[in-house]
Amino acid sequence: MLTRRDVLIGALATGAAMHLRTGFAKASQPATPVNFDVPAGACDCHTHIHGDPERFPFFPGRVYTPETALPEEMAALHRALRLQRVVIVTPSVYGTDNSATLWGMKARESELDAMGREGVCGIRLNLSTGGTNDPALGRQRLQRAIERVKGRNWHVQMNTNLAMVSATKDLVAASPVPVVFDHFANAREEFGVQQPGFADLVELVRSGKAYVKISVTAGPRADYAPFAPLARMLIAANPERILWGTNWPHPNSSSGRKPTELTPLFQVDDGLVLNLLPVWVPDAGIRKKILVDNPARLYAF
């Protein structure tokens, strides 16, 4: 069973309330057994909780409405994947309301010290889902987030694209707190390692100035091979700055549906995806860094 110490909470930026009843479909569970020895203390560094919207209303300015994804479903996922630790990231659909993530903990977004006592250790800037591509605005929001968490032993996590990585690389390099990029910084796997901005991401990782999550964001697919060159280059640059995550329950934020229309979760075989790791990283010692040591250092497990 996960202890409170083993459950890290990630906080996000954006606004407030609306009652809406959605379906209670089951989030995906692994269909493929894990085929390698997962080290003790391994961590899923990127997940979300979607609670009952009657209890945890969605943000009116959201761009999609997900199905529910509940803590007991997450626990089943991690039992199947043999993972003992988890980082829960507040999704954009809740705006700045972290109550679904905190789930029963008495804290508000402005009470950073209280949130820290409950296990919160970072702020997430979700520029990607919100469609923020203006470099000036991205720099402003990153600077504000860094100033806000400075001195707290927290980090800033960014869901953004490679163009924004390039536009903010000097701020990341100078940041007094760790900066973490989600989902390969949303590099397009089909464009390979030569795509604009990827070299900047690699250099920030190589220098130790940034972490990157090698979590696959896309929905069900037959071929994950195009991700391999991206993952291998980042890992080779600095294996001590790589994190792994499922992105469970795999929300679909770009379905083209109306923001208030229920959007089914992607059904992803997370066992199959986890089995990509020993393909990308044949060395068990480096896999332990990615799954255990790096999360323990960043999230203070």
Side-chain angles (χ1 to χ4, degrees):
M1 179 178 292
L2 295 174
T3 65
R4 178 172 293 180
R5 177 175 175 80
D6 286 333
V7 180
L8 254 299
I9 312 295
L12 165 85
T14 44
M18 174 181 181
H19 286 285
L20 178 69
R21 180 165 292 282
T22 63
F24 284 80
K26 294 289 185 184
S28 63
Q29 292 293 329
T32 302
V34 176
N35 64 9
F36 68 101
D37 291 332
V38 179
C43 182
D44 180 350
C45 292
H46 201 96
T47 65
H48 307 289
I49 290 290
H50 304 152
D52 177 354
E54 289 293 326
R55 182 178 177 190
F56 301 110
F58 294 124
F59 166 46
R62 67 193 181 281
V63 298
Y64 71 104
T65 296
E67 295 177 308
T68 57
L70 305 177
E72 55 267 32
E73 294 176 287
M74 181 185 288
L77 168 86
H78 291 136
R79 283 194 298 271
L81 297 180
R82 298 183 235 155
L83 303 175
Q84 291 81 48
R85 290 171 172 166
V86 59
V87 178
I88 303 172
V89 181
T90 302
S92 63
V93 293
Y94 290 119
T96 52
D97 181 359
N98 292 282
S99 53
T101 300
L102 293 168
W103 202 299
M105 302 174 185
K106 294 182 179 179
R108 292 178 303 177
E109 200 274 339
S110 60
E111 296 173 334
L112 298 186
D113 289 332
M115 292 175 71
R117 288 193 296 272
E118 296 289 1
V120 178
C121 67
I123 287 179
R124 187 191 194 209
L125 302 180
N126 195 332
L127 306 182
S128 181
T129 303
T132 300
N133 296 309
D134 179 357
L137 180 57
R139 288 177 62 87
Q140 180 185 73
R141 290 185 62 183
L142 177 58
Q143 286 178 307
R144 191 162 59 232
I146 289 170
E147 287 301 314
R148 199 164 180 209
V149 304
K150 188 168 62 177
R152 293 183 180 276
N153 200 30
W154 284 27
H155 66 276
V156 175
Q157 180 173 311
M158 294 181 71
N159 184 15
T160 190
N161 56 35
L162 290 175
M164 193 66 75
V165 172
S166 297
T168 59
K169 63 183 181 181
D170 60 318
L171 298 180
V172 176
S175 174
V177 300
V179 176
V180 181
F181 290 105
D182 289 353
H183 314 313
F184 290 91
N186 289 301
R188 297 282 296 276
E189 70 276 12
E190 68 270 27
F191 295 154
V193 299
Q194 300 301 321
Q195 62 190 290
F198 192 71
D200 290 327
L201 177 65
V202 171
E203 184 51 40
L204 287 170
V205 170
R206 178 179 291 115
S207 67
K209 297 299 184 180
Y211 288 81
V212 64
K213 296 183 181 182
I214 52 172
S215 50
V216 177
T217 61
R221 57 177 64 233
D223 183 15
Y224 291 95
F227 286 96
L230 306 179
R232 287 173 176 146
M233 182 168 283
L234 289 165
I235 293 162
N238 189 348
E240 295 189 354
R241 290 296 182 269
I242 307 298
L243 305 165
W244 181 89
T246 57
N247 196 37
W248 186 91
H250 308 289
N252 182 358
S253 62
S254 56
S255 68
R257 298 186 181 214
K258 295 178 181 178
T260 55
E261 186 179 354
L262 184 66
T263 302
L265 300 167
F266 285 125
Q267 294 296 303
V268 175
D269 182 353
D270 284 305
L272 176 66
V273 177
L274 179 55
N275 287 342
L276 296 173
L277 193 58
V279 177
W280 297 344
V281 192
D283 187 306
I286 296 178
R287 289 201 301 271
K288 182 176 179 293
K289 285 180 183 289
I290 294 170
L291 290 170
V292 181
D293 301 337
N294 298 346
R297 178 176 59 252
L298 178 63
Y299 303 117
F301 280 123

